[in-house]
């Protein structure tokens, strides 16, 4: 791997003048940790604990989906049939590409690549994230135009208007929450890209990139389940049933 | 300090597998396979999620403690789905109980 570019932080730094840290250490090491490894492990574990709460958070919505779909399988298929499978598939591919650029951004920091390279991968991730949101905006616009947004103006031509409204309530709740996570993720990436441009990350210290990456990949995983469950179940639906 | 550095080719392979998986689910959705539509669709989704977790999220090289935390999250999710559905799927099975 290593044509070893220079590291940004020549460790270890000197003892603080105030003398509160008796041994020389890396400038990014917080004093309640013994080592950079321990600090990185604690951060990663903490992020995973947060992601587990996110699993339960989205899990509740998937549970609701399961119950309502169980109560009206045909209604859900009919409702799903109206979604555009091509926009959905394109967005899935876009998110997977963004996950790749994210993983490569982490790797660039991990291998002490120049700040320019790290920032480039992070900006690519932001770009694909924005593409995803753009397509989502097009899809939402179509739903408003076709009056299939749940509420007073909901109209459904098919056989199952009530389950269709339930389906679209879940559709907007789940994809809306997912989109909110994307927006937050893009904000996080912007901060990380800024820090990377200031030559913050190298092989000695890249935990923020790693942890932000975990969040980004998690949001990708949620979509990996949303796509088939929302877009694909109605593909072969024919009105009147099987 | 530096965690496990995976070769770039590994990331490209995982990426390719994820794209192929996506293509496969879309393809399968166009055929009416009865229950197998759902089974295939969710199996592919789980395989994709596993690839992302193990390789993109580096869990493959993480500590045992991380493994435990990740697994516990999904374990609890299965409890949520499992116990709830044992109720919904069995309603009305016993004569005289409400549907």
């Amino acid at each position: 791997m290593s044509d070893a570019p220079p590291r940004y932080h020549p460790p270890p730094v000197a003892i603080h003048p105030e003398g509160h840290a008796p041994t020389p250490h890396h400038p990014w090491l917080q004093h309640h940790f013994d080592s950079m490894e321990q600090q990185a492990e604690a951060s990663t574990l903490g992020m995973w604990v947060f992601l587990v709460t996110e699993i339960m958070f989205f899990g509740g919505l998937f549970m609701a989906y399961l119950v309502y779909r169980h109560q009206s399988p045909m209604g859900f298929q009919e409702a799903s049939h109206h979604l555009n499978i091509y926009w959905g598939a394109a967005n899935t591919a876009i998110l997977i590409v963004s996950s790749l650029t994210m993983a490569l951004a982490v790797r660039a920091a991990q291998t002490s690549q120049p700040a320019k390279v790290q920032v480039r991968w992070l900006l690519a991730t932001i770009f694909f994230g924005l593409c995803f949101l753009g397509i989502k905006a097009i899809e939402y616009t179509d739903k408003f135009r076709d009056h299939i947004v749940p509420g007073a103006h909901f109209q459904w031509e098919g056989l199952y208007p009530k389950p269709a409204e339930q389906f679209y309530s879940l559709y907007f709740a789940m994809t809306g929450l997912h989109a909110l996570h994307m927006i937050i993720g893009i904000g996080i990436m912007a901060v990380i890209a800024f820090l990377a441009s200031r030559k913050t990350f190298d092989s000695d210290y890249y935990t923020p990139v790693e942890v932000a990456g975990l969040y980004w990949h998690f949001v990708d995983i949620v979509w990996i389940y949303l796509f088939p469950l929302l877009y694909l179940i109605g593909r072969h639906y024919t009105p009147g049933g099987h | 300090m530096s965690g496990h550095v995976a070769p770039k080719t590994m990331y490209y392979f995982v990426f390719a597998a994820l794209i192929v998986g996506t293509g496969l689910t879309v393809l399968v959705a166009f055929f009416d396979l009865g229950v197998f539509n759902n089974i295939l669709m969710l199996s592919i989704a789980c395989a994709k999620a596993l690839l992302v977790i193990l390789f993109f999220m580096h869990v493959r090289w993480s500590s045992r403690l991380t493994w435990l935390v990740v697994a516990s999250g999904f374990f609890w999710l299965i409890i949520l789905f499992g116990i709830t559905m044992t109720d919904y799927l069995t309603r009305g099975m016993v004569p005289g109980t409400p549907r």
Side-chain angles (χ1 to χ4, degrees), chain A residues 1 36-37 40-41 44-45 48-49 51-52 55-56 59-60 62-63 66-67 69-71 85-86 89 92-93 96-97 99-100 103-104 106-107 110-111 121 203-207 210 214-215 217-218 220-221 224-225 227-229 232-233 235-236 242, chain B residues 1-8 11-12 14-15 18-19 22 25-26 28-34 37-38 41-42 44-50 52-53 56-59 62-63 65-66 69-70 72-74 76-77 80-82 84-85 88-89 91:
Chain A
M1 280 337 80
M36 293 301 278
E37 286 80 4
E41 166 74 13
T44 314
L45 187 67
W48 267 110
V49 170
L51 291 183
V52 167
I55 291 173
M56 300 319 292
F62 280 101
M63 186 70 255
L66 205 56
V67 168
R69 186 175 162 192
H70 170 67
Q71 288 180 347
I85 192 174
Y86 299 105
T92 309
I96 292 172
V97 175
S99 258
L100 176 69
L104 292 174
V106 174
R107 193 182 178 282
Q110 202 181 20
T111 51
W121 286 124
S203 65
D204 288 320
Y205 179 70
Y206 62 91
T207 312
E210 168 88 24
L214 289 180
Y215 177 85
H217 295 310
F218 169 80
D220 184 18
I221 290 174
I224 282 175
Y225 284 96
F227 170 59
L229 290 176
L232 297 183
I233 60 169
R235 207 20 36 199
H236 49 264
H242 289 271
Chain B
M1 102 105 222
S2 163
H4 176 89
V5 180
K8 260 188 178 176
Y11 289 112
Y12 292 127
V14 172
F15 168 74
L18 291 172
I19 291 291
T22 305
T25 13
V26 173
V28 165
F30 281 93
F31 299 95
D32 190 351
L33 307 172
N37 274 112
N38 282 325
M41 180 174 97
L42 287 174
I44 294 172
C46 288
K48 285 166 71 182
L50 201 63
V52 173
I53 291 169
F56 281 2
M57 299 171 96
H58 301 153
V59 168
S62 294
S63 65
L65 187 57
T66 310
V69 168
V70 177
S72 71
F74 289 98
W76 250 257
L77 197 62
L80 173 69
F81 293 158
T84 311
M85 289 322 281
Y88 280 97
L89 291 174
R91 287 196 182 181

Side-chain angles (χ1 to χ4, degrees), chain A residues 32-47:
Chain A
H32 47 283
F33 291 112
D34 285 337
S35 63
M36 293 301 278
E37 286 80 4
Q38 191 193 43
Q39 181 173 261
E41 166 74 13
S43 300
T44 314
L45 187 67
M47 190 61 191

Side-chain angles (χ1 to χ4, degrees), chain A residues 107-218:
Chain A
R107 193 182 178 282
Q110 202 181 20
T111 51
S112 299
Q113 300 289 312
K116 210 170 56 183
V117 179
Q118 300 176 20
V119 170
R120 202 186 298 150
W121 286 124
L122 289 164
L123 289 181
T125 308
I126 292 176
F127 170 76
F128 289 116
L130 289 172
C131 287
F132 177 93
L133 289 174
I135 289 181
K136 211 78 222 126
I138 294 170
E139 290 188 89
Y140 276 14
T141 312
D142 288 350
K143 305 285 168 297
F144 276 92
R145 186 202 56 208
D146 297 344
H147 292 284
I148 51 178
V149 180
H153 299 287
F154 185 82
Q155 286 169 18
W156 191 256
E157 306 301 328
L159 300 169
Y160 307 96
K162 202 69 207 168
E165 193 167 10
Q166 287 167 348
F167 177 89
Y168 280 101
S169 298
L170 285 165
Y171 168 84
F172 278 103
M174 294 169 102
T175 61
L177 207 56
H178 179 266
L180 179 65
H181 277 75
M182 292 289 297
I183 293 167
I184 293 168
I186 288 169
I188 292 171
M189 287 314 147
V191 173
I192 297 292
F194 172 73
L195 290 174
S197 75
R198 304 276 299 261
K199 304 188 174 183
T200 311
F201 307 120
D202 60 19
S203 65
D204 288 320
Y205 179 70
Y206 62 91
T207 312
V209 195
E210 168 88 24
V211 165
L214 289 180
Y215 177 85
W216 192 269
H217 295 310
F218 169 80

